């Protein structure tokens, strides 16, 4: 079990507690992820591709707010169109993973969306496909970038990139995307309309308190 002094795990649990579940599936994923973190089980990948068999990932969905488009990448190993992202390294905060991976994979600085700030909007627990299958516990972050600022990408990881409107993402066959991409898109649409323009996102702690600390 988690020791009282395990601050990194306590921080992860605080991040999870501030995520308002979009649907019953996300509620189930949040509950199972919280149990996994609190159990004291290893949470960071230490050897590719599947040690331990369940580990933490930071996804980041880059959105050009002016064009109303999000960036998806054709991931070579997964064979799917996904958000960019990567595994959280031992001792690394999930937001620090976003900063590092955004620079490595897209060559740009990670700029948090004003909708969410530096906090995850969504969480999924997903079994990967193919050789070395394992379970990714993924925190999904929302970033803002001008589409023209992305002039290159990690071609070792991705075979192509595409900018799509929300409607185009939702029109894509689900089997070509991350299995939760449609759900994330709908939650992102709701978050954009629910928060007035210019309103600052709540801190993790205040978000949890606003719901009575019930998670």
């Amino acid at each position: 079990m988690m020791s009282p002094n395990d601050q990194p795990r306590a921080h992860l649990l605080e991040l999870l507690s501030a995520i308002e579940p979009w649907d019953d599936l996300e509620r189930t994923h949040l509950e199972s992820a919280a149990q996994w973190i609190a159990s004291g089980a290893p949470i960071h990948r230490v050897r590719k591709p599947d040690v331990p068999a369940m580990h933490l990932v930071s996804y980041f969905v880059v959105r050009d707010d002016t064009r109303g488009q999000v960036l998806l990448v054709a991931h070579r190993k997964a064979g799917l169109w996904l958000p960019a992202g990567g595994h959280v390294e031992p001792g690394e905060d999930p937001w620090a993973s976003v900063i590092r991976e955004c620079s490595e994979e897209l060559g740009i600085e990670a700029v948090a969306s004003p909708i969410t700030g530096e906090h995850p909007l969504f969480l999924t627990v997903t079994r990967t496909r193919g050789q070395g299958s394992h379970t990714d516990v993924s925190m999904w972050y929302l970033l803002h970038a001008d589409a023209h600022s992305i002039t290159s990408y990690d071609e070792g990881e991705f075979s192509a990139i595409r900018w799509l409107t929300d409607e185009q993402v939702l029109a894509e066959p689900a089997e070509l995307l991350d299995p939760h991409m449609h759900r994330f898109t709908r939650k992102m649409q709701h978050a954009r309309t629910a928060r007035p323009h210019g309103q600052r996102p709540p801190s993790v702690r205040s978000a949890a308190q606003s719901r009575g600390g019930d998670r």
Side-chain angles (χ1 to χ4, degrees):
M1 296 295 291
M2 187 179 70
S3 71
N5 296 323
D6 195 337
Q7 290 302 314
R9 288 181 190 265
H11 174 61
L12 290 174
L13 290 172
E14 192 174 25
L15 287 174
L16 263 60
S17 74
I19 298 174
E20 189 72 38
W22 172 245
D23 52 21
D24 288 342
L25 180 56
E26 187 173 15
R27 184 173 291 105
T28 298
H29 284 179
L30 285 164
E31 290 170 355
S32 63
Q35 292 170 2
W36 169 64
I37 292 167
S39 73
I43 58 177
H44 300 101
R45 189 180 71 173
V46 295
R47 189 168 72 248
K48 295 180 179 181
D50 58 353
V51 179
M54 188 170 183
H55 44 255
L56 194 62
V57 169
S58 284
Y59 262 166
F60 48 93
V61 178
V62 180
R63 187 172 193 275
D64 184 323
D65 293 325
T66 301
R67 292 171 46 164
Q69 294 178 320
V70 298
L71 179 70
L72 293 182
V73 300
H75 196 278
R76 292 185 184 275
K77 289 184 179 179
L80 298 170
W81 288 93
L82 311 172
H87 294 86
V88 179
E89 300 292 343
E92 187 176 48
D93 181 86
W95 173 250
S97 303
V98 171
I99 295 172
R100 174 177 54 78
E101 293 282 355
C102 193
S103 175
E104 292 174 359
E105 295 184 347
L106 301 178
I108 62 169
E109 178 184 356
V111 177
S113 167
I115 296 170
T116 56
E118 298 174 2
H119 309 301
L121 176 64
F122 192 55
L123 180 127
T124 58
V125 179
T126 310
R127 187 74 179 169
T128 65
R129 308 190 313 181
Q131 187 175 3
S133 180
H134 56 273
T135 299
D136 284 342
V137 178
S138 303
M139 293 186 173
W140 296 53
Y141 290 81
L142 185 60
L143 305 184
H144 169 71
D146 185 326
H148 296 296
S149 69
I150 299 178
T151 57
S152 63
Y153 56 88
D154 184 347
E155 296 186 17
E157 292 271 352
F158 316 136
S159 60
I161 63 174
R162 296 169 67 193
W163 288 93
L164 301 172
T165 65
D166 296 348
E167 292 73 19
Q168 288 172 324
V169 172
L170 293 172
E172 283 287 304
E175 61 270 19
L176 301 182
L177 307 173
D178 178 282
H180 306 289
M181 193 66 215
H182 285 172
R183 293 174 55 242
F184 172 84
T185 301
R186 293 188 180 97
K187 187 175 187 181
M188 178 182 63
Q189 288 178 319
H190 175 78
R192 292 206 329 268
T193 57
R195 179 168 294 122
H197 180 70
Q199 180 177 321
R200 292 174 61 84
S203 67
V204 170
R205 185 174 300 278
S206 65
Q209 289 173 340
S210 71
R211 298 196 305 277
D214 57 345
R215 292 193 57 81

